[in-house]
Amino acid sequence: MRDHTVPVDAPGRSRGLGVGEFHLDGGFWGGLQAANTAATLRHCLEWMERLGWIANFDRVASGDTGGERPGWQFSDSEIYKLMEALAWEYGRTGATWAEETLTALTERVAAAQDADGYLNTCYGHAGQADRYSDLSSGHELYCTGHLLQAAVARLRTVGEDKLVEIARQAADEVCRTFGADGRDGICGHPEIEVGLAELGRALREPRYTEQARRFIERRGRGTLKPVTLLDAAYFQDDLPVREADAWRGHAVRALYLAAGAVDVAVDTGDTDLLNAVERQWGRSVERRTYLTGGMGSRHQDEGFGEDWELPPDRAYCETCAGIASNMVSWRLYLATGAVEYADLMERTFYNVIAASPAEDGKSFFYANPLHQRSAAAEVRPDEVNPRAEGGVRAPWFDVSCCPTNLARTLASWQAYAASVEGEQVSLLQYASGDLRIAIGDGEELALRVTTEYPHEGTIRIEVLEAPERPVTLRLRVPHWADGARLATDTGAQAVGPGWASPQDPLRQGAVIVLRLPVEPRFTWPDERIDAVRGCVAVERGPLVLCAESIDLPDAAVIETLRVDPSIPPRAEREGAVVQATAAAAASTPGALPYGPNPRRFDAAATLELGLIPYHRWAQRGSTAMRVFLPTV
Amino acid sequence: MRDHTVPVDAPGRSRGLGVGEFHLDGGFWGGLQAANTAATLRHCLEWMERLGWIANFDRVASGDTGGERPGWQFSDSEIYKLMEALAWEYGRTGATWAEETLTALTERVAAAQDADGYLNTCYGHAGQADRYSDLSSGHELYCTGHLLQAAVARLRTVGEDKLVEIARQAADEVCRTFGADGRDGICGHPEIEVGLAELGRALREPRYTEQARRFIERRGRGTLKPVTLLDAAYFQDDLPVREADAWRGHAVRALYLAAGAVDVAVDTGDTDLLNAVERQWGRSVERRTYLTGGMGSRHQDEGFGEDWELPPDRAYCETCAGIASNMVSWRLYLATGAVEYADLMERTFYNVIAASPAEDGKSFFYANPLHQRSAAAEVRPDEVNPRAEGGVRAPWFDVSCCPTNLARTLASWQAYAASVEGEQVSLLQYASGDLRIAIGDGEELALRVTTEYPHEGTIRIEVLEAPERPVTLRLRVPHWADGARLATDTGAQAVGPGWASPQDPLRQGAVIVLRLPVEPRFTWPDERIDAVRGCVAVERGPLVLCAESIDLPDAAVIETLRVDPSIPPRAEREGAVVQATAAAAASTPGALPYGPNPRRFDAAATLELGLIPYHRWAQRGSTAMRVFLPTV
């Protein structure tokens, strides 16, 4: 095993952490990562073996194609995402099981690769449709993109190996087929762009970066054949990437494409393209993003809605879209150093990504709505769930992109926790553990972070080792942290949202304490978000809170709750308590719910309404839930 | 041609009108019907010829099946709905074109019928999938149901003919295949139930009624094979019809099923089944129905949402669901005589059904949202529209159920305008024209109705001829008509919502005047409808009004409009004017639209906000629109 701490080799302003540079010591993210290690990785493997998705590779290898093929046309990508997760897992921990499993999967995948590098179990073999015969829906290049990302995880942890060689051959085949002299096509689902750009960067192979650039420039020219009920915007094929002002269409598609565009912009010095993605981020965050950081307002196309179309009940907020949003924000942060990108990542980490897995790591939310009207039926633990609906975590889905996407994200969470800009280290996400960060050639900065964040606001940072050269530290102060304080050996001071920096270079033994105000607070939506007019939400630190009907004396009362915003929320355990009223609402079957006078509930009783962190909802059983609470 | 006024032969309390019993004299419905006559019928015929949907019958007849087949698997139903429309059209007007076109279509359909009565152009022939091999999605029985309804239109206007004979053979094949000794199956899309029940009633053939009953009793037992992302509730196969409390799943499916259930309940004296549908109507009207009468809150499955899930922007409110809702309400009205069913029909007629067609009768809304956030792109008049989205009327759709459904509904609108209960006539829908209604054996009541309704509230009814026997009249006073007055030769009196009846039997020369208050009024939603909290709507008589951005000095202002509900709306032309404010809203790209303080717009300017009838929206060009207006 090579050094775990091979840094991300990005030519932007910053680099992120190698997954081995930060050892988590329990806490919020340590706990989630432990469940991923203990359960989710094996869970994904077992489901994909059971359903025959992995055996699809064996059938191609043995020439036994053309019969019934289990899984959707994009099921290969789930194996690649699991392989990426295993690569990070081994790179981070050195766990033998992860390495052996990855090696075994690599052998099975390798055996299915055609001589010219083409690799897909659904197309191009006896009894199958031709290669690239359905670019709109075939997902071949999408699958390849995930293969390349898995290889990059390997390159960043152990270096060249068989998986990297498979990826190189696959990437070469893509470059030949779709290069300057090849076919003028793009894939209906972006992902090849970010995969090629990452691989090009990791292998210092400009042909891959160039091919990624080519796919990005080709997009938005209406070349994809339409699919029933879905228009060109669904594929982001309606407008060239550099001309669009906001994200639209299928959210995961839009965000994977944007991630690839940032990589290409950075690696080719294309400021115009970078600015375009920054503009799209700005507009989409302002008008098309949920309080949780979730993106995607529509079920029909798993897509963005229009500006201000943010219904809490039918919020889609696909787990994968949260992951993809963080892929974009992370790249924009690395490219620009602007703190707001890391702010949105924190919001999305705690309130979308952390919300998806059950505590045991064996069932998942696909959609993450902010309002569940009625308690959903339980899901059987042995059944594939056809519904990408909220309300109940399911062990596996018919389209099961989220579990493996979570697995790779949780296995590499450390990569996003800090960045290094020359002689500056930026702490972005707070979690207890030990950091040992390479600074320049051979020198290291070692820090110990101790915190109960997000439930408590104190973050203690001790400098265990400092390099010879002067190294500075900057700490992210979240945008909501009004009243934060920074204490060092030389005194304490108030610090505003943005960056807080001890003035002197770090020296061994120094202790820095950042205190973030995590008292619960009311948060009000913009008046233009029609769906939550007259409502308020409660947040606590980076956590969005919610009310669950199972905490109410009468579950039906969740329909008539009214919060009194004149009384500040009070902290309780990891949630909060607000003053509210609830009433028995009249039922009048046959009478339309519209009348000549404003309708108010009668006989409201006051209530101490307990709220819990949103990411924990439906962990205690099926329940109705709401984040936005109407006010009295 | 036989007498046009063959009455609806229902064994319930009431009968509706034969389409020939009421001659419209211009006005609101006369105008819509004229556009249907002049344009929509031919438009549908031309599109279905152009797309090859009608030629599918010719290909079956000539044995040329198995190649590419244009249209969805349910395209036959569109031809049958057009044939039903033509049957009503000829029955109502005696127009030669309608009769010749129907005869020609009947010949082509007849030629495609198999020897045993099976009739479908997508299944069961050389190179096609087997008959009834995909009950979940195949739609064969659905298509047959529409064939039977077309035959019923023929029976109710001209009597037995070739179309009726085709239908009889098709119905017999269904009874043999799915009867007591046949296959225990149901169709994924209900419609065969109402078709068989109607045909059984019209032909006095209890076998058909019994088969309809059988399909209804079989439903809700989970026998339909699931379809990706759609659960059993989508098909109403989750709960037996008599056990359900509310409509759920695909709205058109739910409502066609309910219509068939009422027919079966009435014809078999099944009070329990009738009560079940009444209960479902009551609960669904209370919690799952839009102010327009529209039903269906979700795009993904074209379905009902949960209780109180009524988003105005993503309201689906499919035109066909409005038509189907009226099919159910009409049957419940005939069965019970309760005025609220006719009330809901009026609401749906004016605000869903009338909203769909463009003034020229050549383009249509498929979905009927109550809020359009931005002006939609125009649709090309020669292109099939893939999007069942609101915002722009399209000439034809990929799934094009609505245009032919509108055609048959508008061609037979008179049938729903009045009912006869023995010696009582009930006027339900108000429109200028002459009624000549058969009362018992050979006697007739002739009335002339003169009104500018819905734009004015005065309805003048003159008795042109009265039969020997004493006949009474009752007039529907809509639920919103607080302050209505009824004037007869003997004086005037206040009448409340419900029924208003002149006390004496009708005599020739009598004049009755009903005055309904159609001043614009504010209407408030129930507090449990989250999506329109803090908003008010404006209605005028039976018309829901709306604001369009093209009437605003700056279209963007539609996002910040605030109505002052302390100032009553003022009538203007056919709409209203309300007092409002509008403001320039700040744009802050990159800032989440959530913050620590309630957000209010600054520097609001006052505005006289003009509102137009909702059914006319987007008739003057592409526009943003809203029905529910936030209050100051």
Side-chain angles (χ1 to χ4, degrees):
Chain A
M1 189 172 74
R2 274 182 49 176
D3 180 8
H4 298 160
T5 62
V6 178
V8 175
D9 181 22
R13 291 176 44 143
S14 296
R15 73 164 179 90
L17 292 190
V19 291
E21 289 183 296
F22 188 0
H23 177 76
L24 291 178
D25 183 20
F28 191 99
W29 291 104
L32 280 165
Q33 199 163 60
N36 193 51
T37 298
T40 306
L41 296 172
R42 280 174 181 81
H43 177 90
C44 291
L45 183 72
E46 286 164 11
W47 270 96
M48 294 196 289
E49 286 285 23
R50 187 182 319 165
L51 295 173
W53 297 2
I54 305 179
N56 286 334
F57 289 93
D58 309 336
R59 274 186 286 276
V60 170
S62 64
D64 179 26
T65 53
E68 194 89 353
R69 176 187 171 280
W72 284 91
Q73 65 269 43
F74 41 80
S75 65
D76 292 359
S77 70
E78 308 308 340
I79 288 91
Y80 300 147
K81 278 189 284 184
L82 175 60
M83 292 170 76
E84 180 185 336
L86 292 165
W88 294 124
E89 186 72 12
Y90 176 66
R92 204 184 74 247
T93 66
T96 312
W97 178 82
E99 180 68 6
E100 288 174 355
T101 306
L102 177 57
T103 303
L105 288 173
T106 301
E107 293 297 333
R108 291 168 78 179
V109 167
Q113 190 164 35
D114 293 351
D116 66 350
Y118 178 85
L119 178 53
N120 190 281
T121 72
C122 192
Y123 290 90
H125 307 100
Q128 297 180 331
D130 289 345
R131 286 183 186 183
Y132 308 119
S133 54
D134 181 5
L135 289 177
S136 290
S137 303
H139 286 76
E140 289 154 282
L141 292 166
Y142 166 82
C143 290
T144 303
H146 277 300
L147 171 70
L148 307 192
Q149 285 197 297
V152 169
R154 203 64 174 154
L155 280 164
R156 290 195 182 156
T157 48
V158 305
E160 296 259 0
D161 78 340
K162 185 161 188 173
L163 177 55
V164 174
E165 187 49 35
I166 296 168
R168 200 191 297 265
Q169 291 182 34
D172 287 344
E173 189 275 326
V174 170
C175 291
R176 283 195 306 275
T177 307
F178 292 95
D181 302 326
R183 182 168 167 190
D184 181 21
I186 56 173
C187 183
H189 198 314
E191 163 66 20
I192 186 67
E193 300 81 2
V194 71
L196 280 168
E198 281 194 13
L199 189 67
R201 182 181 292 175
L203 288 174
R204 301 177 194 279
E205 175 50 82
R207 282 188 302 118
Y208 299 161
T209 310
E210 174 59 17
Q211 185 61 38
R213 189 197 62 72
R214 199 171 277 131
F215 280 132
I216 283 165
E217 297 296 358
R218 280 179 191 162
R219 207 165 196 95
R221 301 175 201 283
T223 62
L224 288 169
K225 203 182 71 175
V227 172
T228 301
L229 290 180
L230 301 171
D231 58 12
Y234 172 78
F235 304 114
Q236 297 76 47
D237 198 25
D238 56 332
L239 272 177
V241 176
R242 51 182 89 236
E243 292 177 19
D245 286 324
W247 292 321
R248 68 241 170 264
H250 189 267
V252 177
R253 281 172 165 80
L255 293 163
Y256 280 0
L257 178 66
V262 179
D263 281 341
V264 166
V266 167
D267 286 6
T268 63
D270 188 338
T271 309
D272 178 65
L273 183 60
L274 181 65
N275 290 348
V277 180
E278 287 188 276
R279 184 173 71 237
Q280 291 155 22
W281 187 95
R283 176 78 174 208
S284 305
V285 167
E286 185 198 5
R287 297 172 182 228
R288 300 184 178 192
T289 302
Y290 283 94
L291 181 62
T292 54
M295 293 188 183
S297 305
R298 295 181 176 180
H299 278 57
Q300 189 183 25
D301 58 356
E302 308 191 312
F304 285 95
E306 294 197 74
D307 287 350
W308 316 116
E309 182 191 323
L310 294 162
D313 50 355
R314 294 292 282 172
Y316 202 66
C317 295
E318 185 180 338
T319 301
C320 289
I323 291 168
S325 164
N326 272 9
M327 285 169 59
V328 179
S329 293
W330 175 240
R331 284 161 172 76
L332 289 174
Y333 170 74
L334 290 181
T336 66
V339 72
E340 57 260 39
Y341 298 118
D343 273 350
L344 184 67
M345 289 181 72
E346 174 175 67
R347 184 172 289 276
T348 307
F349 268 134
Y350 280 105
N351 302 294
V352 179
I353 293 170
S356 175
E359 280 170 6
D360 69 1
K362 293 182 180 176
S363 64
F364 312 90
F365 278 143
Y366 188 116
N368 295 280
L370 283 73
H371 181 185
Q372 178 73 24
R373 293 185 175 274
S374 59
E378 297 289 350
V379 165
R380 288 179 48 183
D382 57 343
E383 262 185 11
V384 172
N385 190 335
R387 304 172 321 155
E389 301 271 333
V392 68
R393 291 177 178 84
W396 204 251
F397 303 94
D398 185 40
V399 172
S400 211
C401 43
C402 298
T404 55
N405 223 347
L406 270 173
R408 67 174 183 151
T409 303
L410 292 175
S412 60
W413 183 85
Q414 283 84 345
Y416 310 106
S419 66
V420 184
E421 298 87 26
E423 277 75 39
Q424 176 183 268
V425 169
S426 306
L427 280 194
L428 305 169
Q429 308 299 336
Y430 298 115
S432 283
D434 288 316
L435 293 102
R436 181 166 287 274
I437 300 171
I439 304 287
D441 296 328
E443 291 198 286
E444 288 187 333
L445 171 69
L447 303 175
R448 172 164 296 157
V449 178
T450 310
T451 184
E452 297 293 317
Y453 192 78
H455 305 303
E456 300 293 335
T458 301
I459 297 132
R460 182 180 185 278
I461 299 151
E462 183 183 354
V463 181
L464 301 181
E465 278 177 42
E468 290 281 312
R469 73 180 75 183
V471 170
T472 58
L473 182 68
R474 60 175 191 172
L475 306 174
R476 186 178 62 85
V477 180
H479 68 96
W480 46 262
D482 201 19
R485 292 186 68 80
L486 182 71
T488 63
D489 302 341
T490 57
Q493 58 177 316
V495 288
W499 298 109
S501 298
Q503 288 191 327
D504 301 322
L506 298 176
R507 54 172 184 72
Q508 187 175 332
V511 172
I512 299 143
V513 178
L514 177 66
R515 289 185 210 278
L516 300 175
V518 294
E519 293 79 38
R521 64 191 187 276
F522 284 125
T523 298
W524 300 84
D526 190 292
E527 283 272 292
R528 287 167 288 186
I529 306 176
D530 295 283
V532 292
R533 177 170 292 114
C535 292
V536 70
V538 182
E539 295 184 282
R540 185 176 175 179
L543 300 176
V544 174
L545 305 185
C546 69
E548 286 195 328
S549 62
I550 52 171
D551 286 328
L552 294 168
D554 169 7
V557 157
I558 199 155
E559 284 178 357
T560 65
L561 284 176
R562 295 292 178 269
V563 166
D564 181 350
S566 71
I567 302 172
R570 186 181 85 226
E572 181 166 295
R573 292 189 298 275
E574 296 173 358
V577 171
V578 292
Q579 198 70 28
T581 62
S587 183
T588 316
L592 280 167
Y594 313 97
N597 298 302
R599 297 191 169 192
R600 301 278 177 213
F601 303 127
D602 298 330
T606 60
L607 182 74
E608 296 256 285
L609 177 63
L611 306 174
I612 64 162
Y614 168 77
H615 68 84
R616 288 219 188 129
W617 89 274
Q619 294 277 21
R620 296 174 295 167
S622 187
T623 180
M625 176 276 296
R626 54 187 311 159
V627 167
F628 281 99
L629 304 161
T631 57
V632 291
Chain B
M1 188 172 74
R2 273 182 49 176
D3 180 6
H4 298 158
T5 63
V6 178
V8 176
D9 182 20
R13 292 176 43 142
S14 296
R15 72 165 180 90
L17 293 189
V19 292
E21 287 182 296
F22 188 0
H23 177 76
L24 292 177
D25 183 20
F28 191 99
W29 292 104
L32 280 165
Q33 199 163 60
N36 193 50
T37 298
T40 307
L41 296 172
R42 280 176 180 79
H43 177 89
C44 292
L45 183 72
E46 286 164 11
W47 270 95
M48 294 197 288
E49 285 284 23
R50 188 183 318 165
L51 294 172
W53 297 2
I54 305 179
N56 285 334
F57 290 93
D58 308 336
R59 275 186 287 274
V60 170
S62 64
D64 179 26
T65 53
E68 193 90 354
R69 178 188 168 279
W72 284 91
Q73 65 270 43
F74 41 80
S75 65
D76 292 359
S77 70
E78 308 308 341
I79 287 89
Y80 300 148
K81 280 190 282 184
L82 175 60
M83 291 169 77
E84 181 185 336
L86 292 165
W88 294 124
E89 186 73 11
Y90 176 65
R92 205 184 74 247
T93 67
T96 311
W97 178 83
E99 180 67 7
E100 288 174 356
T101 305
L102 176 58
T103 302
L105 288 172
T106 301
E107 292 298 333
R108 290 167 78 179
V109 168
Q113 189 164 36
D114 293 351
D116 68 349
Y118 179 85
L119 177 54
N120 189 281
T121 71
C122 191
Y123 289 90
H125 306 100
Q128 296 180 332
D130 289 343
R131 286 183 186 184
Y132 306 120
S133 55
D134 181 5
L135 288 177
S136 290
S137 305
H139 286 76
E140 288 152 282
L141 291 167
Y142 166 83
C143 289
T144 304
H146 277 301
L147 171 70
L148 306 193
Q149 285 197 298
V152 169
R154 203 62 172 156
L155 280 165
R156 290 196 180 154
T157 48
V158 303
E160 297 260 0
D161 77 339
K162 185 161 189 174
L163 176 56
V164 174
E165 188 49 35
I166 297 168
R168 199 191 298 264
Q169 291 183 34
D172 288 343
E173 189 275 326
V174 170
C175 291
R176 282 195 306 275
T177 307
F178 293 94
D181 303 326
R183 181 168 167 189
D184 182 21
I186 56 173
C187 183
H189 198 316
E191 164 63 22
I192 187 67
E193 300 82 1
V194 70
L196 279 168
E198 281 193 14
L199 188 67
R201 182 180 291 176
L203 287 174
R204 302 177 193 281
E205 174 51 80
R207 283 188 303 120
Y208 299 160
T209 310
E210 174 58 17
Q211 186 59 39
R213 190 196 62 72
R214 199 171 277 130
F215 281 131
I216 284 165
E217 297 297 358
R218 281 179 191 162
R219 207 164 197 98
R221 302 174 199 282
T223 62
L224 288 169
K225 204 181 69 174
V227 172
T228 303
L229 292 180
L230 301 171
D231 59 12
Y234 172 77
F235 304 114
Q236 296 77 46
D237 199 25
D238 56 332
L239 273 178
V241 176
R242 51 182 89 234
E243 292 177 19
D245 286 325
W247 292 322
R248 67 240 171 266
H250 190 267
V252 177
R253 281 172 165 81
L255 294 163
Y256 281 180
L257 178 65
V262 178
D263 282 341
V264 166
V266 167
D267 286 7
T268 64
D270 188 338
T271 309
D272 178 65
L273 184 59
L274 180 64
N275 289 348
V277 180
E278 288 187 276
R279 183 174 71 238
Q280 291 155 22
W281 187 95
R283 176 80 173 208
S284 306
V285 166
E286 185 198 3
R287 297 172 181 228
R288 301 185 176 192
T289 301
Y290 284 94
L291 181 62
T292 54
M295 293 188 184
S297 305
R298 296 181 175 179
H299 278 57
Q300 188 184 23
D301 58 356
E302 309 192 310
F304 283 96
E306 294 198 74
D307 287 350
W308 315 116
E309 181 191 324
L310 293 162
D313 49 355
R314 294 292 283 173
Y316 201 65
C317 295
E318 184 180 337
T319 301
C320 288
I323 290 168
S325 165
N326 271 8
M327 285 168 60
V328 178
S329 293
W330 176 239
R331 283 161 173 76
L332 289 174
Y333 169 74
L334 290 181
T336 68
V339 72
E340 56 261 39
Y341 299 118
D343 274 351
L344 184 66
M345 290 181 72
E346 174 175 67
R347 184 172 289 276
T348 307
F349 268 134
Y350 280 105
N351 302 294
V352 179
I353 294 170
S356 175
E359 280 171 6
D360 69 1
K362 293 183 178 176
S363 64
F364 313 91
F365 278 143
Y366 188 116
N368 295 280
L370 281 74
H371 181 185
Q372 177 73 26
R373 293 185 174 275
S374 59
E378 297 288 352
V379 165
R380 286 178 49 181
D382 56 344
E383 261 185 11
V384 172
N385 190 333
R387 303 173 321 155
E389 302 270 332
V392 67
R393 292 177 178 84
W396 204 251
F397 302 95
D398 184 38
V399 172
S400 211
C401 43
C402 298
T404 55
N405 223 348
L406 270 173
R408 67 174 183 151
T409 303
L410 292 174
S412 59
W413 183 84
Q414 283 84 345
Y416 310 105
S419 66
V420 183
E421 298 87 25
E423 276 75 40
Q424 175 183 269
V425 169
S426 305
L427 280 193
L428 305 169
Q429 309 297 338
Y430 299 114
S432 283
D434 289 316
L435 292 101
R436 179 166 288 275
I437 301 170
I439 305 286
D441 296 327
E443 289 197 287
E444 288 187 334
L445 171 69
L447 304 175
R448 172 165 296 158
V449 179
T450 310
T451 184
E452 296 294 316
Y453 192 80
H455 304 303
E456 301 293 336
T458 301
I459 298 132
R460 182 180 185 277
I461 299 151
E462 184 182 353
V463 181
L464 302 181
E465 277 176 43
E468 291 281 313
R469 74 180 77 184
V471 171
T472 58
L473 183 69
R474 62 176 191 173
L475 306 174
R476 185 177 64 85
V477 180
H479 68 96
W480 46 261
D482 201 20
R485 291 186 70 79
L486 182 71
T488 63
D489 302 342
T490 58
Q493 57 178 318
V495 289
W499 297 110
S501 297
Q503 289 191 327
D504 302 320
L506 299 175
R507 55 171 184 72
Q508 187 174 332
V511 173
I512 299 143
V513 178
L514 177 65
R515 289 185 210 279
L516 299 175
V518 294
E519 294 78 40
R521 64 191 187 275
F522 284 125
T523 298
W524 300 83
D526 190 292
E527 283 272 292
R528 288 167 288 185
I529 306 176
D530 295 283
V532 293
R533 178 169 292 112
C535 292
V536 70
V538 182
E539 295 184 283
R540 184 175 178 181
L543 300 175
V544 173
L545 306 186
C546 69
E548 287 195 327
S549 62
I550 51 170
D551 285 327
L552 295 168
D554 169 8
V557 157
I558 199 156
E559 286 178 356
T560 64
L561 283 175
R562 294 293 177 269
V563 166
D564 183 349
S566 71
I567 303 172
R570 186 182 84 227
E572 181 166 293
R573 289 189 301 275
E574 295 171 359
V577 171
V578 292
Q579 198 71 26
T581 62
S587 184
T588 317
L592 280 167
Y594 314 98
N597 297 302
R599 298 190 167 192
R600 301 278 175 213
F601 304 125
D602 298 330
T606 58
L607 181 75
E608 297 256 285
L609 176 63
L611 306 174
I612 65 161
Y614 169 77
H615 69 83
R616 289 220 187 126
W617 89 274
Q619 294 277 19
R620 296 173 294 167
S622 188
T623 179
M625 176 277 295
R626 55 188 310 160
V627 167
F628 281 99
L629 303 161
T631 56
V632 290

